[in-house]
Amino acid sequence: MSGTRSVERIRQAIPLLLLFLAWTCAACAATAEDMDSSEPNPESIPAMAAGELDAAQRAADGGLERRQTLASANVSLIVADAETALEDIEQITTDLGGYVADVDVSNGRYDETEALRGSMTLRVPSDSLDDAVDQIQALATVVNNLKVNRQDVTDQYSDLDARLRNLRATEAELLALLTEVRQKPNAKVEDILAVHRSLTQIREEIETLQGRKNLLDNQIEFSTVKVELIPDSVFRPIVEGPWSASGPVRNALRALVATLQDLLTALIWALLYLTPLLLVILVPLAVLIWLVRLWIRRRRKDGT
């Protein structure tokens, strides 16, 4: 009897035990969920850190980005000898790694004298612009005018660079798509031509932007310097060369011969041109005068 009662008690306790175990598991599960929700996901930590590192890297790159500038200078100089100054400026430009793009030299009147004056357009490395301007100014007796201009084109350059990268990425995708379309067993000519047209358009845009970028690169790499050279009459010698009496004598004789030639020319014109012309005019006039005087005399006779 006692054994039977013990078995029955155990049977009655089993549901209670199972209920207790179920409640315990539910409580543990809720605690685990709370812990999971309160603590960050381990897998999300590297992603968040990577994003923050990328942002920091981009910020650092932006701060360290090299500024792109277009530099130019206009210099007006008064020099003792324009020809010598032209040669010296050309040598300075060559030594700095640049080149002379344009030269314009002419003889003109300056301070009532004939003098050589000119202008030059130079292309020098941008890093050497200040050095070039300083050396060129040293050749002048007076710096008449100096203007240096720098234009920041970083935004324009970055925009071109970004657009080129995007277009090249698009070109690569179109090339892959073209290969994929061609490899299809049931590929259609229309599909291949459509992808090819898009690829051609992208390549034309790339060439256009690349040309603009190459021009901008050249303008950034080399600065333009325009130089005007004005002769200084103060430094012109009083006597241009050794004086000789033969020069004035020849000039006087030339003037005398020219004057005699002019007089002889005038005499020839008078004899061959004016004389016949006067005869043609004076003979009819003399006849007319004689007729008038004859008529007047007859009237007087008739009146008496």
Side-chain angles (χ1 to χ4, degrees):
M1 293 293 290
S2 60
T4 303
R5 290 177 181 177
S6 298
V7 172
E8 290 179 355
R9 288 177 182 176
I10 292 173
R11 289 178 179 177
Q12 293 176 357
I14 287 174
L16 295 176
L17 182 59
L18 293 175
L19 181 62
F20 176 77
L21 291 174
W23 178 82
T24 303
C25 292
C28 292
T31 304
E33 290 178 359
D34 293 339
M35 292 177 65
D36 291 339
S37 61
S38 61
E39 293 181 1
N41 187 1
E43 295 180 355
S44 65
I45 293 176
M48 294 171 61
E52 293 177 356
L53 289 175
D54 291 342
Q57 184 65 34
R58 287 194 299 269
D61 292 341
L64 297 176
E65 184 180 7
R66 183 190 176 199
R67 308 305 297 176
Q68 306 291 346
T69 57
L70 301 181
S72 62
N74 290 292
V75 188
S76 178
L77 307 177
I78 297 178
V79 295
D81 185 5
E83 184 175 1
T84 303
L86 285 170
E87 296 176 355
D88 293 341
I89 292 174
E90 185 175 357
Q91 185 63 44
I92 291 172
T93 304
T94 303
D95 293 341
L96 293 175
Y99 60 93
V100 179
D102 182 62
V103 178
D104 184 12
V105 181
S106 61
N107 273 314
R109 297 193 64 82
Y110 185 77
D111 288 345
E112 299 181 355
T113 57
E114 290 288 337
L116 184 71
R117 63 186 303 165
S119 61
M120 306 178 70
T121 300
L122 315 175
R123 299 278 290 166
V124 298
S126 298
D127 296 339
S128 303
L129 175 61
D130 294 335
D131 191 13
V133 171
D134 292 340
Q135 292 189 46
I136 291 172
Q137 288 185 89
L139 302 175
T141 57
V142 177
V143 178
N144 192 37
N145 184 36
L146 171 61
K147 182 179 180 181
V148 179
N149 181 42
R150 286 183 171 87
Q151 180 184 359
D152 191 339
V153 293
T154 305
D155 294 340
Q156 180 181 353
Y157 189 88
S158 300
D159 179 65
L160 281 175
D161 196 31
R163 291 170 64 184
L164 278 171
R165 287 199 304 269
N166 293 335
L167 287 173
R168 289 195 176 103
T170 305
E171 180 187 19
E173 294 176 357
L174 288 174
L175 285 172
L177 180 60
L178 182 61
T179 303
E180 182 181 351
V181 172
R182 285 176 175 174
Q183 290 176 352
K184 287 183 177 181
N186 56 347
K188 296 181 180 180
V189 178
E190 293 80 4
D191 297 337
I192 296 175
L193 291 177
V195 178
H196 192 272
R197 282 194 297 268
S198 299
L199 185 60
T200 302
Q201 182 180 359
I202 291 297
R203 284 175 174 172
E204 289 177 355
E205 294 180 8
I206 290 175
E207 291 176 359
T208 301
L209 290 181
Q210 187 62 51
R212 290 171 57 186
K213 186 174 181 292
N214 292 341
L215 177 61
L216 195 59
D217 283 334
N218 181 264
Q219 293 175 343
I220 292 172
E221 183 180 0
F222 285 90
S223 299
T224 302
V225 182
K226 294 185 177 181
V227 184
E228 181 185 14
L229 301 175
I230 303 173
D232 191 345
S233 61
V234 175
F235 288 86
R236 292 179 63 84
I238 298 175
V239 179
E240 296 291 341
W243 184 84
S244 175
S246 60
V249 170
R250 286 196 299 270
N251 293 335
L253 291 175
R254 290 194 188 99
L256 176 61
V257 171
T259 302
L260 293 176
Q261 288 175 348
D262 293 339
L263 290 175
L264 182 59
T265 301
L267 180 60
I268 293 173
W269 275 83
L271 292 176
L272 299 180
Y273 175 74
L274 292 178
T275 300
L277 184 62
L278 290 175
L279 289 176
V280 172
I281 297 174
L282 293 177
V283 168
L285 183 61
V287 172
L288 180 61
I289 293 173
W290 179 77
L291 292 175
V292 170
R293 293 179 66 181
L294 181 60
W295 180 76
I296 292 173
R297 289 177 183 176
R298 290 181 177 179
R299 290 293 300 269
R300 289 178 179 177
K301 291 181 179 179
D302 294 340
T304 57

